[in-house]
Amino acid sequence: MKGDASSPQGGVGLANGNRRLVLGALVVVAVVAAVLVVRIAPPRLSDTPGSNARDFVSGAYPKLVVEVDWVDEGGTSYKPPPAVLAFLEQRIGERATKPGGVSVTFGNAIATTKSSFSADDLRALEGTHRSARTGGDTAAIWIVFANRYSEGGAGGSTVIGVAYAGSSAAIFVAPIRDAATFLVPAETIERIAAVHEVGHLFGLVNTGTPMVAPHEDAAHPGHSSNPDSVMYWQAEGTDLVSLIAGGRNPDNFDTADSADLRAIGGK
């Protein structure tokens, strides 16, 4: 028997039809809203140095782990001394709000036949060998100590470090060893270079973390104008040796750097 609007069966059928119409309308509204959100809110640029600064500096993730891998090329190891990791852990701990602690630990040795690495090479290396990833209560950084960078530095200086992604950096040990002297040993250079590149991952200077007061070097964007700051531009090239030999010791974040980090939740 066919139901009509006056019969119980017909009433149920009409109610079901109305429900379907309402549900259909809600689905359309949800889809339209989702499209608008996608168009209005751009995706997070998590592959840009400084884009994850708050994760690393604030207490949003109570713990921070830094995985340090290194390259072995033809029997030559570019593994850093443990003291370099201890120094980096100390400097991060002084500025990052991590009630669960900061841990800088050795990861994997990476055998290679390559004599130098580009940024794309580093990304490929990371994709294959990186273990630690941000998740749960822990933010993660990956640093690889490699041999050489395939790109040149500023003013004839050779690049000794680069932050090439949102949570990733590389230190280039071969030019560090070549430039080291009795008064400025390789370990000292590696310590400063490592802190400098982590500083870029922290969004310094003005590369993801806003400046509280102006201190960016206009001639070297992304770097401090203070030669005593670890974020000074010479701290990522072999010119660092002459800077130290001239009496500077840029192995720490200065007052302006620290103020920037406190403004995003650091110490």
Side-chain angles (χ1 to χ4, degrees):
M1 176 181 176
K2 184 185 258 187
D4 57 34
S6 62
S7 70
Q9 185 177 352
V12 171
L14 183 58
N16 287 337
N18 288 338
R19 288 193 192 97
R20 285 193 292 270
L21 288 173
V22 171
L23 289 173
L26 289 173
V27 170
V28 171
V29 170
V31 170
V32 171
V35 170
L36 289 174
V37 168
V38 170
R39 288 180 178 175
I40 293 171
R44 185 180 183 186
L45 299 177
S46 59
D47 199 39
T48 304
S51 59
N52 300 317
R54 290 181 186 273
D55 293 346
F56 302 144
V57 175
S58 76
Y61 288 90
K63 301 176 184 177
L64 175 64
V65 62
V66 181
E67 175 189 344
V68 177
D69 290 359
W70 66 96
V71 161
D72 285 343
E73 180 206 356
T76 300
S77 175
Y78 294 96
K79 183 178 183 179
V84 171
L85 277 66
F87 184 79
L88 179 59
E89 184 172 290
Q90 174 189 338
R91 286 290 183 254
I92 294 174
E94 290 168 351
R95 294 290 170 257
T97 303
K98 299 297 174 186
V102 174
S103 177
V104 181
T105 59
F106 284 118
N108 308 302
I110 304 170
T112 185
T113 58
K114 293 181 68 66
S115 59
S116 65
F117 290 84
S118 67
D120 286 341
D121 293 333
L122 293 170
R123 290 186 182 93
L125 206 67
E126 177 183 2
T128 302
H129 298 281
R130 178 173 179 170
S131 299
R133 303 278 179 178
T134 295
D137 64 352
T138 304
I141 288 172
W142 187 74
I143 300 177
V144 61
F145 281 67
N147 40 24
R148 296 181 185 274
Y149 196 38
S150 61
E151 301 178 24
S157 179
T158 302
V159 175
I160 60 173
V162 63
Y164 64 89
S167 64
S168 316
I171 306 300
F172 303 104
V173 181
I176 290 175
R177 291 176 179 174
D178 292 344
T181 67
F182 177 75
L183 295 177
V184 187
E187 181 180 311
T188 296
I189 304 170
E190 288 183 29
R191 291 189 312 177
I192 293 174
V195 176
H196 180 95
E197 299 310 330
V198 167
H200 283 315
L201 298 182
F202 285 1
L204 299 173
V205 171
N206 200 29
T207 57
T209 295
M211 293 185 292
V212 172
H215 62 110
E216 184 178 21
D217 185 346
H220 302 92
H223 294 93
S224 173
S225 56
N226 178 12
D228 290 317
S229 165
V230 74
M231 297 313 298
Y232 192 61
W233 68 273
Q234 282 183 277
E236 65 182 15
T238 49
D239 280 348
L240 175 60
V241 175
S242 60
L243 185 68
I244 297 172
R248 303 287 186 181
N249 184 33
D251 71 350
N252 203 355
F253 302 109
D254 71 3
T255 301
D257 301 328
S258 300
D260 294 350
L261 296 178
R262 282 195 298 273
I264 64 165
K267 295 190 285 190

